[in-house]
Amino acid sequence: MSEKELYRQKMKARFDELMADIDKLKAKASGASVDMKLKLTHHIKEIEEKVDEGKAKLAELGNTNEERWESVKEGVESGWEALKHAVKDVSAKFKE
């Protein structure tokens, strides 16, 4: 298996884990006060949009040739970092 494919699989697993975290946030939001629920729902929707962008980057990675995949990898990495921080921020807001 190529390095590119191993990386794609690793990142897909990370996105899947993040989606599980988002599902947990949704469950917590459903039991929150109305104001908190509105706030969290808005933030969760933004995160889900970023997840979609990340999945699109992963798909792009799968379609790139071996020479070009390193440049696409950078986009996947930056998207992953942004998502990870966004989920942490929303989790922190829920605890407020």
Side-chain angles (χ1 to χ4, degrees):
M1 191 173 299
S2 71
E3 183 180 348
K4 177 183 86 168
E5 183 56 25
L6 288 171
Y7 176 79
R8 192 192 67 73
Q9 288 180 4
K10 177 180 95 171
M11 292 308 293
K12 183 185 180 313
R14 284 184 173 178
F15 277 103
D16 290 346
E17 288 174 20
L18 194 64
M19 288 304 299
D21 291 341
I22 292 168
D23 288 342
K24 289 176 190 173
L25 285 173
K26 285 179 180 178
K28 287 180 181 180
S30 69
S33 68
V34 174
D35 288 339
M36 182 60 81
K37 187 183 295 189
L38 287 171
K39 183 188 277 188
L40 288 173
T41 301
H42 172 74
H43 290 296
I44 290 169
K45 186 177 225 62
E46 288 177 348
I47 290 171
E48 289 176 326
E49 289 171 5
K50 289 180 182 181
V51 167
D52 290 342
E53 291 171 13
K55 287 182 178 181
K57 282 286 185 191
L58 277 179
E60 181 182 346
L61 180 69
N63 294 325
T64 60
N65 60 29
E66 290 296 320
E67 296 81 38
R68 199 173 148 251
W69 85 272
E70 286 289 337
S71 65
V72 176
K73 177 182 172 183
E74 291 174 17
V76 172
E77 288 289 331
S78 65
W80 167 252
E81 287 300 318
L83 273 170
K84 188 168 69 170
H85 291 293
V87 170
K88 272 186 180 178
D89 289 347
V90 171
S91 293
K93 285 179 184 353
F94 185 75
K95 293 177 184 177
E96 293 176 353

